[in-house]
Amino acid sequence: NAGVMQNPRHLVRRRGQEARLRCSPMKGHSHVYWYRQLPEEGLKFMVYLQKENIIDESGMPKERFSAEFPKEGPSILRIQQVVRGDSAAYFCASSPPGQEGLHEQYFGPGTRLTVT
Amino acid sequence: GNSVTQMEGPVTLSEEAFLTINCTYTATGYPSLFWYVQYPGEGLQLLLKATKADDKGSNKGFEATYRKETTSFHLEKGSVQVSDSAVYFCALSVQTGANNLFFGTGTRLTVIP
């Protein structure tokens, strides 16, 4: 069973461009979480999605950031008009249905976004 | 609110030394507590967890005990190996409907032969 897949692993964008980060959860997992890790900081929760639904987006910046988890295909974290402050490592995690009480999440290797 | 305070690193130890990484927390509800490990170039892996007070999580020689009275979940290992070199994250989640994890800043451990 393959783990959580994220691509690309490294992404370089110029200021003002769009960044699209992809996450394929583990097989059988229907819950996806996105976290951001700024340099020298811990991981910060951004958004929690189930198939076709955003459940909790309390950690998402109000502008320029969006996330989706369609019925088919990977989850996408989209950052429009990137700025240098968006440079960070973005981690995706997944969990199977019915695991909400245990909160055990399986993490991908992350996408390191650099904005020049 | 919910937060995790973790011992700052980096930590450098000789092989077979004793390891302690301190972790304390604040939580609005009754938290579950976790230690995750991140090896170079990889994602975070769950190392161990504890879901109620006085529980001891253990895995691969690592242990941590959920201490409600001191709001702590310190990670320990009696004899570290070079292969334990990694970044260790303490985390919590609150079982009141929220599904996200709250992480500490991470502690980088380097074990030298």
Side-chain angles (χ1 to χ4, degrees):
Chain A
N1 188 8
V4 178
M5 310 285 283
Q6 287 188 251
N7 69 82
R9 294 291 302 275
H10 301 274
L11 181 62
V12 180
R13 285 287 179 266
R14 290 198 178 95
R15 279 180 298 169
Q17 291 184 318
E18 178 180 287
R20 292 171 70 88
L21 288 62
R22 294 174 184 78
C23 169
S24 296
M26 287 180 70
K27 187 175 181 181
H29 287 194
S30 56
H31 300 181
V32 166
Y33 313 80
W34 285 94
Y35 294 82
R36 176 167 64 175
Q37 184 179 29
L38 295 170
E40 306 305 320
E41 295 187 16
L43 281 74
K44 297 286 192 326
F45 168 76
M46 299 180 75
V47 61
Y48 162 45
L49 310 102
Q50 295 178 18
K51 283 285 187 183
E52 300 185 277
N53 285 305
I54 296 174
I55 306 302
D56 181 353
E57 56 182 346
S58 58
M60 286 273 275
K62 297 296 181 214
E63 298 179 351
R64 301 187 298 108
F65 285 72
S66 62
E68 62 178 11
F69 188 19
K71 187 176 180 182
E72 301 291 338
S75 176
I76 306 286
L77 179 67
R78 183 182 178 204
I79 311 172
Q80 295 179 289
Q81 299 176 320
V82 295
V83 300
R84 287 213 172 112
D86 297 332
S87 295
Y90 293 82
F91 290 93
C92 170
S94 72
S95 66
Q99 289 287 315
E100 293 90 337
L102 293 178
H103 302 283
E104 186 162 340
Q105 299 175 19
Y106 299 81
F107 282 79
T111 294
R112 276 151 183 83
L113 172 66
T114 301
V115 179
T116 61
Chain B
N2 300 305
S3 67
V4 174
T5 301
Q6 196 174 330
M7 172 179 166
E8 288 190 19
V11 174
T12 302
L13 294 173
S14 297
E15 206 165 20
E16 299 183 2
F18 184 86
L19 169 71
T20 299
I21 301 178
N22 290 338
C23 171
T24 57
Y25 67 89
T26 59
T28 54
Y30 199 109
S32 294
L33 302 173
F34 306 84
W35 277 99
Y36 280 84
V37 58
Q38 184 179 29
Y39 298 103
E42 299 183 14
L44 278 73
Q45 302 174 24
L46 180 65
L47 180 60
L48 53 84
K49 67 178 182 183
T51 57
K52 61 183 188 294
D54 299 324
D55 268 2
K56 178 185 282 188
S58 61
N59 185 26
K60 299 182 181 179
F62 290 89
E63 292 182 341
T65 301
Y66 188 142
R67 300 286 188 203
K68 190 176 180 183
E69 62 276 13
T70 54
T71 61
S72 65
F73 193 54
H74 304 321
L75 182 69
E76 297 182 335
K77 186 174 185 182
S79 177
V80 294
Q81 305 301 313
V82 172
S83 58
D84 293 328
S85 298
V87 181
Y88 293 82
F89 293 91
C90 185
L92 71 83
S93 65
V94 180
Q95 298 174 4
T96 55
N99 291 79
N100 52 293
L101 292 162
F102 295 86
F103 283 90
T105 54
T107 301
R108 182 176 299 278
L109 170 67
T110 301
V111 180
I112 54 178

